[in-house]
Amino acid sequence: MLKLAFATSRGRTLSLAGSFLALFFAVVLIVSCGLLLESGVRARIPTERYGAAPVVVAGQQKVTFVKGEADIGLSLSEPVAIPAALAEKIAKVPGVTGVVPETAFPVGLAGTE
């Protein structure tokens, strides 16, 4: 049986090499996805982002829309950022020992409207 398989593969060496190359890339893809999954499961990122801060200054977490005579209020899921220039004003308040502004920046795709 093996003699027949080797005899057949001699005439089709390119297709045999292509099959092994496709199998190799499939294994690489599966292993890399497994590594990503495993690193995500084992990650020990603390959930308390502002846990060490005694006071956190943030914007209003609610947006209110006026529709006719009714006010519709929606809560926001993410913290609302305040201007970084406000950190200087907060640092001048008596009793404040230090101010650390959060540095985040917007990212946009080039060529989008």
Side-chain angles (χ1 to χ4, degrees):
M1 186 73 165
L2 285 176
K3 284 184 180 182
L4 182 62
F6 285 130
T8 306
S9 66
R10 275 189 215 129
R12 297 179 177 93
T13 55
L14 286 178
S15 62
L16 181 67
S19 297
F20 279 116
L21 189 65
L23 180 66
F24 173 75
F25 283 124
V27 168
V28 167
L29 181 66
I30 289 171
V31 168
S32 62
C33 288
L35 284 173
L36 285 173
L37 178 69
E38 192 268 340
S39 66
V41 168
R42 290 184 183 254
R44 300 284 183 222
I45 300 172
T47 56
E48 298 93 18
R49 183 174 182 180
Y50 304 112
V55 176
V56 176
V57 179
Q60 188 176 2
Q61 293 295 117
K62 187 176 181 182
V63 177
T64 305
F65 298 101
V66 178
K67 186 174 182 180
E69 295 181 11
D71 290 341
I72 301 171
L74 299 173
S75 296
L76 302 174
S77 60
E78 293 290 322
V80 178
I82 58 174
L86 193 59
E88 296 172 6
K89 290 182 181 180
I90 295 172
K92 294 178 183 175
V93 173
V96 174
T97 58
V99 175
V100 179
E102 183 176 0
T103 54
F105 57 93
V107 176
L109 297 175
T112 60
E113 295 179 21

